[in-house]
C-alpha cells in the first residue's frame, strides 16, 4: 500500500513533538489513516545539529525541493515568522499538498489567502495548532458549532503571560521575578516581547476572528496592552476585591456594529469563566446564540499539546480525503 | 426541492426548545441543510393541550405511524424512560430514518444496540443531547479526539446537584432549603431522586463510557452516592480547607486494568478543573495521552442548550448524508 508521505518543516519544540508523536503512536495513526505514514523529509536550518535522525529520512535545508516533490502528500510547517513560510506554503498548495501549520504570525497575516488558495486547488489546510495549543478550538468552531453563531469571544491565549500573572499573585513576585522564573522554566523566550506585550495573543485573536466573523477588526479598532505595567500592588488590590488580573483577548461587535478586538489585562470577578484559568493554561470562552456560553480550557503550548493539534488536523484531513478519494 | 421531513417526539422543555430553534433559526438551518426543513409530525400524549400548533403539522399520539411513515427523514426523540422510546427508535432505524435522541436513561441502557443497528441500516444516530446539555462533549470525543486516547474522565454531569451544592455553600442553606429553591426555579423535579441520588449522572457516565472505552464498568465496579447526606457542616468544613464539595462522576481504569465508574460527592482542591464549575453548569475534564488535560464547561440542561445539541447533531448528520448521497 502506498504510504502517506509527510514533510516536516522545522525541528524546534513543536517539530520535535510532531516527530515523536508519529513515532510513539505510529500504529494507532496508521490504523486511522488506513496506510503507512512516512516522515520522508525534514527541512531544518542546520542539518549537522540533528545527526541522530534515521538515514532513510531526507534531511535538507531546501524548502523548494519539498514544494516541488510530487511524492510528498502532507506538509507540517512548524517554523516562525511570515517568511519564508507563507511563500513556501503557497507553493506547496499549488503542488496539491495538504498543509498543516502551527505558525500563528504567518497565519494571522495570510490565513485568508492560504484558505482560499487551498480551496481553489482542492487541498486542505489545518491550522488548529496556531491557536491555544492543544485545545481544539478551531475544529470546535468549524465542525461542532455549525447551527450556532458565535457572538463574542473572551480568551486567555498566551500561556507565558498567564504563568507570569499567576506567579505574581500566588508567590507574591514582581513582574521581573516572575518573568525570570518563566524563562528558567522554558515558558518564556530570552526576548519575551511577543508574549508579554500581547502580540502573540493578538495573532491568535486575528485567526479566531477570520474563522468566526470572516473578517478581522480594522487596525483602528484593535487595542493591545501588555502586562509589563502590572505591579505587585495592582495584583494585591485586585485580590482584595476577590478578583484576579488576567491578560484577556476579546472579540466583539460594538454598539455601532463594528468588530473590535482587544488584548489587555483585566481584573476578573470570581464568577468569570476565565478567573480560574491558571499557569500556562489557555482558555476560550464563547458566547453563542443557541447553546449559550461554552468554555474550553487546556494546555496552550508545549511540544505534545501542539503536536496533538497538528496530528488531529492530519486525521481530519485524511478523513475528508477518504471521502474525496472514494468519490473520484 | 424536496424538504427534509422531521418528526418531533415529545413537546416538553427539550421538545419545545427544538421546535422553537427550528423556527427562530429557520433560514440559517435551511441554508446549512441545502433544503427546506419541515417539522411535519409531532407526537405528544395530549394533543388537546397544544392547540396553538400550526394546522399543517400532523399532531398525533401514534408513534407507530411515525416509524412507518416513509416520508419522514429524521426523528428527534425527546421523551423520558427506556420504553416506548427504545422499541420506537429501533423501528425508525429499520425504516431507514436518522434518529437524534436526548433520552439518557434509554441510551445508557440501549445505546450500544441502537448504534450497531443504525450502522447495519446505514443510518445515523445523534446522542449529543443525552450528555451534558449544550456542551459538545460527544462530538468532541467522536470527531476532534481521533489521534488522542482518553485515559480518564471526571465530570459534573448533573446541573441540579451542582446548583444545590453551590447554593448550600454560597447562601449557607441546608440541603432541604437548597433543594426547595431548585424546585422553585425549575431546576429540580417534584421528585428529585434521579438528580440528587446520582442516577442521572450515572446514565451520562455510562454513555461516555460506551463512547470512550467501548464498554461500561461492570455493575460491581460502579459506585453511586447521592448528595442528600451533605450537611451544611460538611460544606463549611470543606470551605475551611479552601475546598468545595462537588458531585463528581469519574471513569477510570483501576490498577488491575478494570474499568470503574463512580458518582459521588468529593471535596475538590482549588486547583482542580471542576472546582470553579458553579450553579447549573456542567463540565467534563478529560485526561488524554497526547494533548494532555482538556476541560469543557457550559450549560448542562435547559431548553435551548439541549436543543442546540440536537440541532448540531442534525447538521452533522446532514453533512455526512450529503457525502453519502453523492456517493450513491
Amino acid at each position: 500500500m502506498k504510504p502517506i508521505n509527510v514533510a516536516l518543516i522545522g525541528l524546534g519544540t513543536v517539530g520535535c513533538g510532531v516527530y515523536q508523536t508519529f513515532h510513539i503512536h505510529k500504529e494507532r495513526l496508521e490504523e486511522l489513516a488506513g496506510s503507512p505514514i512516512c516522515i520522508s523529509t525534514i527541512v531544518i536550518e542546520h542539518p549537522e545539529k540533528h545527526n541522530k535522525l534515521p538515514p532513510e529520512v531526507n534531511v535538507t535545508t531546501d524548502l523548494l525541493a519539498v514544494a516541488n516533490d510530487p511524492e510528498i502528500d502532507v506538509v507540517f510547517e512548524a517554523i516562525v515568522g511570515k517568511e519564508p513560510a507563507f511563500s513556501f506554503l503557497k507553493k506547496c498548495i499549488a503542488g496539491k499538498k495538504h498543509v498543516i501549520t502551527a505558525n500563528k504570525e504567518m497565519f494571522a497575516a495570510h490565513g485568508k489567502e492560504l484558505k482560499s488558495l487551498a480551496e481553489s486547488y482542492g487541498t486542505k489546510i489545518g491550522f488548529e495548532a496556531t491557536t491555544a495549543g492543544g485545545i481544539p478550538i478551531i475544529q470546535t468552531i468549524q465542525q461542532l458549532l455549525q447551527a450556532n453563531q458565535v457572538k463574542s469571544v473572551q480568551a486567555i491565549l498566551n500561556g507565558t503571560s498567564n504563568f507570569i500573572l499567576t506567579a505574581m499573585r500566588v508567590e507574591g513576585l514582581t513582574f521581573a521575578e516572575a518573568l525570570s522564573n518563566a524563562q528558567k522554566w522554558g515558558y518564556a523566550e530570552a526576548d519575551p516581547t511577543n508574549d508579554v506585550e500581547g502580540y502573540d495573543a493578538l495573532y491568535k485573536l486575528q485567526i479566531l476572528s477570520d474563522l468566526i466573523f470572516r473578517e478581522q477588526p480594522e487596525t483602528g479598532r484593535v487595542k493591545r496592552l501588555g502586562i509589563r505595567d502590572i505591579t505587585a500592588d495592582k495584583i494585591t488590590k485586585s485580590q482584595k476585591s476577590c478578583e484576579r488580573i488576567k491578560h484577556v483577548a476579546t472579540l466583539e461587535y460594538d454598539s455601532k456594529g463594528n468588530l473590535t478586538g482587544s488584548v489587555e489585562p483585566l481584573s476578573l470577578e470570581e464568577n468569570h469563566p476565565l478567573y480560574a484559568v491558571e499557569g500556562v493554561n489557555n482558555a476560550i470562552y464563547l458566547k453563542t446564540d443557541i447553546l449559550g456560553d461554552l468554555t474550553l480550557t487546556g494546555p496552550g503550548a508545549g511540544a505534545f499539546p501542539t503536536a496533538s493539534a497538528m496530528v488531529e488536523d492530519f486525521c481530519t484531513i485524511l478523513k475528508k480525503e477518504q471521502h474525496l478519494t472514494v468519490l473520484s
Side-chain angles (χ1 to χ4, degrees), chain A:
Chain A
M1 187 179 284
K2 192 185 168 296
I4 298 165
N5 285 314
V6 169
L8 181 53
I9 317 305
L11 213 50
T13 305
V14 174
C16 280
V18 171
Y19 185 82
Q20 287 180 48
T21 299
F22 271 116
H23 277 260
I24 298 168
H25 304 286
K26 185 179 172 61
E27 206 175 323
R28 192 195 309 167
L29 293 170
E30 294 192 336
E31 199 189 315
L32 281 166
S35 316
I37 299 165
C38 168
I39 299 187
S40 59
T41 307
I42 297 179
V43 181
I44 36 181
E45 266 189 299
H46 301 286
E48 69 282 4
K49 288 187 190 163
H50 297 273
N51 51 16
K52 282 183 188 159
L53 290 166
E56 64 271 24
V57 179
N58 171 27
V59 182
T60 170
T61 58
D62 188 357
L63 284 173
L64 207 61
V66 170
N68 293 332
D69 184 344
E71 293 299 313
I72 291 172
D73 304 297
V74 185
V75 173
F76 282 68
E77 183 254 316
I79 52 178
V80 291
K82 292 181 203 168
E83 288 294 351
F86 176 51
S87 304
F88 165 66
L89 290 185
K90 280 198 290 187
K91 288 197 191 89
C92 291
I93 291 168
K96 301 264 188 161
K97 300 178 194 330
H98 301 299
V99 304
I100 296 169
T101 177
N103 185 335
K104 48 213 140 194
E105 184 180 357
M106 181 280 297
F107 207 75
H110 302 299
K112 224 169 176 170
E113 192 175 338
L114 286 180
K115 282 189 260 187
S116 108
L117 197 68
E119 208 178 318
S120 70
Y121 279 97
T123 68
K124 304 285 174 203
I125 180 153
F127 56 100
E128 184 65 76
T130 60
T131 304
I135 305 173
I137 183 61
I138 302 292
Q139 289 210 38
T140 294
I141 295 166
Q142 280 181 325
Q143 295 197 57
L144 310 192
L145 300 177
Q146 296 177 83
N148 279 277
Q149 273 180 353
V150 176
K151 310 308 273 183
S152 68
V153 179
Q154 279 195 303
I156 292 175
L157 294 174
N158 184 269
T160 307
S161 299
N162 204 49
F163 175 89
I164 291 171
L165 291 173
T166 305
M168 288 176 74
R169 196 189 77 248
V170 175
E171 300 173 44
L173 305 180
T174 64
F175 173 82
E177 289 164 344
L179 170 60
S180 161
N181 278 4
Q183 285 165 328
K184 257 183 248 165
W185 285 84
Y187 295 146
E189 309 279 334
D191 175 0
T193 310
N194 233 357
D195 292 323
V196 302
E197 296 294 354
Y199 292 100
D200 175 81
L202 186 59
Y203 297 147
K204 295 164 179 171
L205 197 67
Q206 288 168 325
I207 292 169
L208 285 176
S209 188
D210 271 337
L211 180 64
I212 296 170
F213 302 113
R214 314 268 162 208
E215 60 170 338
Q216 294 185 10
E218 285 173 24
T219 315
R221 299 207 171 86
V222 172
K223 182 179 176 187
R224 183 190 46 74
L225 272 178
I227 59 163
R228 276 192 199 274
D229 294 338
I230 303 299
T231 56
D233 263 8
K234 284 184 189 170
I235 297 271
T236 309
K237 204 176 151 196
S238 164
Q239 249 189 310
K240 277 190 183 152
S241 320
C242 295
E243 296 188 351
R244 285 182 188 167
I245 296 178
K246 296 286 172 191
H247 203 200
V248 180
T250 305
L251 209 52
E252 63 191 352
Y253 284 96
D254 67 14
S255 57
K256 290 178 187 160
N258 299 310
L259 184 60
T260 65
S262 61
V263 178
E264 60 186 325
L266 295 177
S267 191
L268 303 181
E269 291 182 7
E270 204 193 337
N271 59 6
H272 192 286
L274 303 179
Y275 173 90
V277 180
E278 296 277 78
V280 290
N281 269 343
N282 278 195
I284 302 99
Y285 162 48
L286 303 174
K287 281 186 185 286
T288 74
D289 65 347
I290 311 176
L291 190 169
D293 298 353
L294 178 69
T295 306
L296 276 66
T297 310
F304 288 109
T306 312
S308 164
M310 298 186 92
V311 171
E312 291 290 357
D313 272 347
F314 179 71
C315 291
T316 302
I317 287 172
L318 292 184
K319 206 168 57 173
K320 288 187 182 158
E321 185 65 5
Q322 280 156 3
H323 279 297
L324 294 175
T325 311
V326 180
L327 284 175
S328 62

